[in-house]
Amino acid sequence: MRKFFSLLVGLGIGAAIGALLATFFSPVSSDEFQENLQSRYQRALEAGRKASARRRAELEEELGELRS
């Protein structure tokens, strides 16, 4: 369990350092960088919602078939 916790801490620290480096060395202004980041987040969120809705519809259809 201790090794797993150490791995998670290491991954978290690495991700934070990577995010800071990406922010500092980005070729765009901070406002544009933030807008790009928010735009990508919104697209990913929307894609996740669409995938979830499709999967739910598939499962509901499968459940309907099993009930009949």
Side-chain angles (χ1 to χ4, degrees):
M1 185 68 175
R2 181 180 163 105
K3 287 183 180 182
F4 181 70
F5 181 70
S6 296
L7 175 67
L8 288 179
V9 169
L11 287 173
I13 291 172
I17 290 171
L20 284 172
L21 288 173
T23 302
F24 289 136
F25 294 110
S26 175
V28 296
S29 69
S30 62
D31 291 335
E32 189 177 348
F33 183 78
Q34 188 175 8
E35 288 175 12
N36 290 343
L37 196 59
Q38 287 176 345
S39 173
R40 288 181 184 178
Y41 173 75
Q42 290 299 324
R43 284 192 310 237
L45 194 60
E46 185 61 30
R49 286 182 180 148
K50 285 181 182 179
S52 175
R54 279 193 310 264
R55 183 64 177 146
R56 182 182 181 119
E58 290 173 4
L59 290 173
E60 287 176 349
E61 182 180 328
E62 186 177 327
L63 179 62
E65 290 174 1
L66 290 173
R67 285 186 174 172
S68 348

